[in-house]
Amino acid sequence: MLVIKPEDSVAVTNVQPSAMTADASKMAKLYFMMSSTLYTDKFMSIIRELCSNARDSHAEAGKLDTPFAIIAPTLLDPRLIIGDVGTGIDYPKAKETILMFLGSTKDEDDEERGFMADDAIGGWGIGAKSPRAYTSTYQVIMRLDGIETAVQVFDQKGMPQEVAMYTEKTSKPKGLEFIVPIKPADVPEWRRKVVEYMKFTNYNVEAFMGDGEVIRPEKPFGTVKYDDFTVEIYGTPDRYSKGHSEKPPILLYGGMRYEIPSSFNLKAQLDEIAKLLSFGLEIRINVTKPNAVKFGLSREHLELETQTLNLVTYAVKILHDDMKKEWEQSFSTRTFRRYSEVLKYSAEVQAAVEAGKASLYG
């Protein structure tokens, strides 16, 4: 084995560092890696990414009270459409941001409008290109200052291209629409993913399913606010059955649900929280502080890093200690008193509670 000793080393001077670059002839491969191979659940990821962009646009425009829209594909109209009435954008700006890989409208603060980059969910500059994970061809409709521009995105020899199909005056409000063509055979699965997204998202969004059916996010039975997160209770306690499984808390962030990874070593606390609050109910820890948790480029899973681990551990500990303390003080309700004002149990559940802890745990 060759060992280089300090006295054997050769000093190198006046050498300038050079930047490592990507092979220009392999850019098509890089674009493919940043879209098609990035997501495990491509359908859900596209819905999540485009909805997060729509939410951020409404936040920047001060319109969080106004819902953005998902139009689910049908066999008669096999297109997924996600649109907002937020800040809007013109074609020149779009070419530098939503139509450019790693280009983003969320990189910089806009103090004049009171929008800070840290308040945005995304910022990687790839979410607006997520439809490429499913298809190389889709449309972007942009409206700003009474002008509407429609852009067609497509591939040419593996390289993403875009072209403006038309620009015309419009009376529609400023905003942005992504129109993704769906293969007829995939329509049922896309519709199922839209329903699944709406079941857990905490964004102000409406999903139009066709034939007049509109789905809105589920409202919690009760909430308790902490500094960096809000605890929300979901479910239908009146549908109690002895065989109902206890559900561990989940984390909500960026309009999506995340199971708390086993690598966080919080299973014991999570299991006990689930036992303290059952009856078919579910606790969601809604992280409201921007950039409080970290995830990878795909945003499908939480990253095991210090900031995320500290916040999740703190939230679970506070919730666990709070619930356990109230349970020990009184079990006149099945959960702690801070929730008792908003939760109403059926007569069967109340009878079981009054019968005492022994009957509840068998």
Side-chain angles (χ1 to χ4, degrees):
M1 178 178 180
L2 176 63
V3 178
I4 299 179
K5 299 179 181 179
E7 58 269 21
D8 297 328
S9 62
V10 178
V12 180
T13 59
N14 299 322
V15 175
Q16 298 298 318
S18 59
M20 296 178 66
T21 62
D23 186 338
S25 65
K26 303 291 179 63
M27 291 305 293
K29 181 178 181 180
L30 179 61
Y31 290 132
F32 178 77
M33 291 167 58
M34 294 178 64
S35 54
S36 185
T37 66
L38 184 61
Y39 306 109
T40 302
D41 186 341
K42 296 181 180 181
F43 293 7
M44 180 61 78
S45 294
I46 292 169
I47 295 170
R48 180 194 65 241
E49 294 288 358
L50 296 183
C51 283
S52 292
N53 284 351
R55 175 266 175 198
D56 283 347
S57 181
H58 278 216
E60 187 174 355
K63 294 183 177 180
L64 285 177
D65 291 336
T66 301
F68 61 90
I70 302 173
I71 301 178
T74 65
L75 290 176
L76 293 177
D77 186 2
R79 298 182 301 165
L80 172 73
I81 303 175
I82 297 179
D84 65 68
V85 289
T87 58
I89 193 171
D90 58 23
Y91 185 46
K93 182 67 173 178
K95 290 175 70 70
E96 300 173 355
T97 53
I98 63 173
L99 297 176
M100 176 186 290
F101 272 91
L102 303 184
S104 174
T105 61
K106 309 170 190 177
D107 290 339
E108 299 178 356
D109 297 339
D110 189 336
E111 296 182 3
E112 183 177 343
R113 284 187 290 180
F115 180 80
M116 311 304 284
D118 283 347
D119 293 334
I121 298 301
W124 290 111
I126 58 175
K129 298 82 181 174
S130 60
R132 286 177 49 82
Y134 176 75
T135 176
S136 61
T137 303
Y138 59 95
Q139 294 179 7
V140 185
I141 310 296
M142 53 197 74
R143 304 183 186 94
L144 183 66
D145 298 332
I147 300 297
E148 176 178 293
T149 301
V151 173
Q152 182 77 27
V153 179
F154 61 99
D155 264 17
Q156 191 172 71
K157 296 182 179 180
M159 295 291 288
Q161 311 284 317
E162 55 85 8
V163 61
M165 298 186 295
Y166 68 80
T167 296
E168 61 186 22
K169 292 183 179 180
T170 182
S171 59
K172 295 180 180 179
K174 59 185 177 182
L176 198 63
E177 286 183 11
F178 283 81
I179 303 175
V180 183
I182 303 300
K183 299 174 185 176
D186 292 339
V187 165
E189 180 64 10
W190 273 101
R191 291 176 61 83
R192 190 181 74 80
K193 290 295 183 179
V194 169
V195 172
E196 181 181 343
Y197 177 83
M198 294 300 295
K199 183 177 180 181
F200 292 104
T201 188
N202 56 336
Y203 284 166
N204 188 6
V205 53
E206 295 177 331
F208 297 86
M209 306 300 294
D211 294 329
E213 181 185 3
V214 181
I215 301 176
R216 296 178 177 85
E218 183 181 1
K219 300 294 184 182
F221 279 99
T223 62
V224 176
K225 292 186 177 180
Y226 294 86
D227 289 339
D228 297 331
F229 60 92
T230 299
V231 173
E232 303 173 349
I233 292 187
Y234 292 82
T236 309
D238 287 342
R239 294 180 181 176
Y240 171 77
S241 65
K242 292 182 179 179
H244 205 295
S245 60
E246 295 158 341
K247 302 177 181 179
I250 62 172
L251 192 77
L252 284 179
Y253 183 73
M256 283 294 292
R257 68 188 297 267
Y258 296 94
E259 294 184 359
I260 298 175
S262 58
S263 55
F264 282 27
N265 296 322
L266 296 170
K267 186 177 186 305
Q269 293 94 323
L270 294 173
D271 287 348
E272 189 162 5
I273 290 172
K275 289 181 179 179
L276 290 171
L277 182 69
S278 57
F279 305 129
L281 299 174
E282 181 181 74
I283 286 181
R284 302 179 190 175
I285 302 172
N286 180 11
V287 178
T288 53
K289 182 179 179 181
N291 285 318
V293 297
K294 301 294 183 182
F295 32 67
L297 283 177
S298 70
R299 298 206 290 139
E300 291 179 317
H301 305 287
L302 298 173
E303 283 190 355
L304 181 57
E305 52 80 50
T306 303
Q307 179 178 327
T308 302
L309 181 58
N310 286 348
L311 185 136
V312 175
T313 301
Y314 170 75
V316 170
K317 181 181 186 303
I318 291 295
L319 178 59
H320 172 267
D321 292 351
D322 209 350
M323 291 185 68
K324 191 171 183 180
K325 177 181 177 182
E326 293 295 341
W327 171 261
E328 291 172 350
Q329 290 179 354
S330 171
F331 46 84
S332 60
T333 62
R334 184 71 164 94
T335 183
F336 50 102
R337 294 189 190 114
R338 299 174 71 180
Y339 292 135
S340 63
E341 296 178 359
V342 291
L343 291 171
K344 297 184 182 300
Y345 297 130
S346 66
E348 179 184 6
V349 174
Q350 286 289 356
V353 171
E354 295 299 330
K357 185 175 179 180
S359 66
L360 289 172
Y361 288 106

